[in-house]
C-alpha cells in the first residue's frame, strides 16, 4: 500500500508560478512512476506530467509542455510539479498518483488532490 499526500496548491494570478509536492509513504519505491493529473468539474481527468521511478523518463501533455516541470527526490519520497506561466485554464484540482512501471498507463494509488486556481 502507498499513501500519497499533495500540497502546494492555492490561488494565484495569471503568469504566476506554483510548485506542487507529492509526498509518498508506505511501500513507495523508486520502481514506481508518478503522475500529476488534473480535473475540473464535468471533464475527464487529464495526465499533465509523469516521471519514471528513476527520473529518466518524463511525459508532458501538450497543454503544459514548456511551462511545467516534473521532478523527483527519491531520498525524500517526493515528486514535484513546478508550474510556471500559469493560465486561467490551468485551474483544476491536481492529483498525484503512482504505479509500478512506466509513466503512461493506468495508475494504482491516488492522493486526495490539491486545488489550483488561476485568476485572470
Amino acid at each position: 500500500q502507498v499513501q500519497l499526500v499533495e500540497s502546494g496548491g492555492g490561488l494565484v494570478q495569471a503568469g504566476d508560478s506554483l510548485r506542487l509536492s507529492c509526498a509518498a509513504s508506505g511501500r513507495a519505491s523508486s520502481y514506481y512512476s508518478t503522475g500529476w493529473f488534473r480535473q475540473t468539474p464535468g471533464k475527464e481527468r487529464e495526465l499533465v506530467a509523469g516521471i519514471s521511478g528513476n527520473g529518466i523518463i518524463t511525459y508532458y501533455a501538450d497543454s503544459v509542455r514548456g511551462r511545467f516541470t516534473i521532478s523527483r527526490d527519491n531520498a525524500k519520497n517526493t515528486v514535484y510539479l513546478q508550474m510556471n506561466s500559469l493560465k486561467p485554464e490551468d485551474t483544476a484540482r491536481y492529483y498525484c498518483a503512482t504505479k509500478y512501471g512506466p509513466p503512461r498507463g493506468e495508475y494504482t494509488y491516488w492522493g486526495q488532490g490539491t486545488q489550483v486556481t488561476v485568476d485572470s
Side-chain angles (χ1 to χ4, degrees):
Q1 194 75 5
V2 177
Q3 294 80 42
L4 303 172
V5 178
E6 303 95 335
S7 61
L11 172 63
V12 296
Q13 299 296 312
D16 286 351
S17 298
L18 275 177
R19 188 176 80 159
L20 305 184
S21 297
C22 173
S25 60
R27 296 182 62 184
S29 165
S30 59
Y31 292 106
Y32 279 68
S33 292
T34 300
W36 281 99
F37 293 76
R38 66 186 180 188
Q39 189 171 26
T40 55
K43 292 188 177 181
E44 290 190 2
R45 193 157 43 191
E46 172 192 21
L47 174 63
V48 297
I51 188 167
S52 60
N54 58 13
I56 293 177
I57 302 172
T58 57
Y59 163 83
Y60 294 96
D62 289 342
S63 57
V64 306
R65 188 174 291 112
R67 299 188 297 122
F68 291 11
T69 302
I70 190 169
S71 62
R72 68 188 305 145
D73 183 343
N74 284 345
K76 297 181 179 179
N77 283 335
T78 301
V79 173
Y80 305 98
L81 184 67
Q82 178 68 42
M83 306 187 295
N84 298 330
S85 302
L86 282 162
K87 304 175 181 180
E89 51 262 44
D90 294 318
T91 295
R93 190 163 186 84
Y94 284 72
Y95 300 85
C96 70
T98 190
K99 65 184 290 288
Y100 187 83
R104 300 299 301 274
E106 187 173 349
Y107 278 71
T108 307
Y109 302 103
W110 293 84
Q112 295 300 306
T114 185
Q115 180 67 33
V116 172
T117 302
V118 184
D119 192 357
S120 58

